[in-house]
Amino acid sequence: MPRVDFLGTGNAFSPHGRMHALALIDGDILIDAPPTVITQLKRSGYSSGQIRHLLFTHWHGDHIFGFPFMMLERKFVTNREMEVGLEIYLRPGGKEILSGLCETGFPGSLESLDTMVNWNEEEDGDVGDTDWKFNRFPVNHNPETDPHGYELIHSSGFRMLHCGDSGPCPEIDRRAPKADVIVVEMGVPDIGDFPHHHRPSDVISLSERNPHAKILVTHNYSSAKGRQEGFQNPSLPETICQLEDFDSLEIFEDGSFEIINKI
Ligand SMILES: [Zn+2]
Ligand SMILES: [Zn+2]
């Protein structure tokens, strides 16, 4: 049964009770590599050595700084025999950024990156031999980070739009009508204009424009449910689910789905 585990749901500031936003599909497709990615995998019972596909959305530290840790752990601990190949889906220029990070983090230890990974710069195609196809699309976020989202289509017909980090944008609106689930960031509160992020009012508006779709909020600026510190959860309509760390999405054969809250 296809599933998506949300191993983190916080923005770059890792609000109280939230790790950085991180989604894992079917146990081996990872979207981004936040600084504590290996910690987040382990605490949910997964291992860096089982990741076969890594999809990058953009070049901000809360999405990429865990890459050297992941590669180092694979090389020396979790994938020593290199039995599990890793395909990396990224924009042109990304290989240099990620290689530079590895050289900065662990000089001399990860020079063999090219033997450990397959770099894939295609904008769409199959996610290896999995049941998923992907389509990468540009979003509205800091342009220096070459920001993108991913439309992920399961062989059952189920469609998930992962918007990466982005404010409202035409490319999201263009794909949203076909999506069953829209995973959207809510990186900032309603305290001003932030074109590169969704605010609660923007998420509500997205939901109103797409009543057919379930909106899942991640990369949340507010503290986890029940925490007294920091920003409190904004109140949003019931059609919108503010994910918590450890939540998962389970998808059934008929294309229906359920959000499982583990806490
Ligand atoms: Zn971010
Ligand atoms: Zn970002």
Side-chain angles (χ1 to χ4, degrees):
M1 189 164 58
R3 62 179 290 126
V4 183
D5 287 294
F6 296 96
L7 307 183
T9 57
N11 68 3
F13 305 118
S14 207
H16 297 278
R18 296 187 194 277
M19 304 285 268
H20 291 129
L22 178 61
L24 175 67
I25 301 171
D26 295 345
D28 61 4
I29 305 171
L30 201 58
I31 301 181
D32 288 333
T36 51
V37 60
I38 60 174
T39 310
Q40 291 172 267
L41 286 165
K42 284 191 191 87
R43 74 174 188 163
S44 286
Y46 295 104
S47 156
S48 61
Q50 68 190 89
I51 304 303
R52 297 167 60 224
H53 307 278
L54 175 53
L55 285 62
F56 280 104
T57 61
H58 68 296
W59 310 125
H60 262 154
D62 54 319
H63 298 258
I64 61 173
F65 278 4
F67 182 70
F69 293 92
M70 188 174 152
M71 296 316 295
L72 192 77
E73 193 190 30
R74 279 176 72 94
K75 181 173 177 179
F76 293 109
V77 183
T78 58
N79 193 31
R80 289 172 65 99
E81 308 297 326
M82 293 216 273
E83 284 169 338
V84 181
L86 179 64
E87 181 124 1
I88 298 185
Y89 303 74
L90 76 180
R91 295 274 299 156
K95 178 183 166 178
E96 289 68 33
I97 292 171
L98 295 173
S99 302
L101 273 186
C102 287
E103 189 47 32
T104 302
F106 300 103
S109 297
L110 291 170
E111 285 164 342
S112 51
L113 219 47
D114 277 346
T115 64
M116 299 168 69
V117 309
N118 183 27
W119 307 98
N120 182 340
E121 295 182 353
E122 298 295 323
E123 292 298 315
D124 53 60
D126 294 327
V127 181
D129 58 359
T130 70
D131 294 327
W132 295 88
K133 289 181 186 303
F134 76 97
N135 191 333
R136 188 164 49 226
F137 61 94
V139 293
N140 184 21
H141 194 54
N142 304 65
E144 299 85 351
T145 66
D146 199 6
H148 285 72
Y150 286 89
E151 187 172 28
L152 292 151
I153 305 152
H154 189 256
S155 55
S156 64
F158 174 86
R159 267 172 201 258
M160 181 170 82
L161 205 57
H162 190 295
C163 302
D165 277 10
S166 177
C169 76
E171 289 291 333
I172 294 175
D173 280 339
R174 197 156 76 79
R175 289 169 170 80
K178 278 178 147 183
D180 297 293
V181 164
I182 302 173
V183 179
V184 67
E185 64 111 289
M186 190 173 71
V188 293
D190 268 302
I191 53 172
D193 285 332
F194 301 97
H196 294 157
H197 289 285
H198 276 73
R199 302 163 298 183
S201 56
D202 298 316
V203 175
I204 291 170
S205 160
L206 176 69
S207 174
E208 285 172 351
R209 293 196 301 282
N210 298 281
H212 65 281
K214 184 75 184 174
I215 309 280
L216 303 183
V217 171
T218 187
H219 203 277
N220 201 321
Y221 69 88
S222 73
S223 302
K225 218 176 280 175
R227 296 291 292 249
Q228 303 304 313
E229 318 93 320
F231 287 109
Q232 296 302 294
N233 264 187
S235 108
L236 299 177
E238 277 188 8
T239 51
I240 301 168
C241 171
Q242 295 186 66
L243 294 166
E244 299 288 334
D245 288 20
F246 300 114
D247 282 357
S248 59
L249 169 70
E250 292 191 358
I251 302 146
F252 305 102
E253 269 177 21
D254 63 358
S256 64
F257 56 88
E258 195 178 349
I259 313 289
I260 313 289
N261 190 298
K262 291 208 186 92
I263 299 176

